Amino acid sequence: MKKDGNVWRVQVYVKGARDSGTFATKAQASAWAAMRETELRSQKETGIVVGKTCRDAFDKYEKEISKAKRGYRWEALRLDLPPTLASIFPLMF
């Protein structure tokens, strides 16, 4: 927690989840930080990343891992199937 001009900025980091906020008073910032930390600790671990899709994972895999493989071209084509073709090849997804 630190003073940033006329506001108090607080950052919370629990179990890999980050959150931050700005408040007019230090007391408000402390109260919010305590409440938010409790919320983050009590959240059930689902393994689901909010805001990310399967397409994002495929794109990251293609750029970071698949490029180094010998069969990159074909793997990239399989990863880039449109959603309509995904229903034809259900084992690929």
Side-chain angles (χ1 to χ4, degrees), residues 10-14 17-21 32 36 39-40:
V10 62
Q11 296 178 342
V12 177
Y13 181 76
V14 177
R18 293 178 188 266
D19 203 359
S20 65
W32 178 85
R36 191 64 182 130
E39 286 175 3
L40 291 174

Side-chain angles (χ1 to χ4, degrees), residues 54-72:
C54 194
R55 167 63 38 209
D56 295 334
F58 288 163
D59 290 341
K60 183 176 179 178
Y61 177 85
E62 180 185 347
K63 290 174 186 162
E64 294 178 7
I65 295 171
S66 186
K67 254 196 193 314
K69 293 185 172 185
R70 198 172 65 190
Y72 166 71

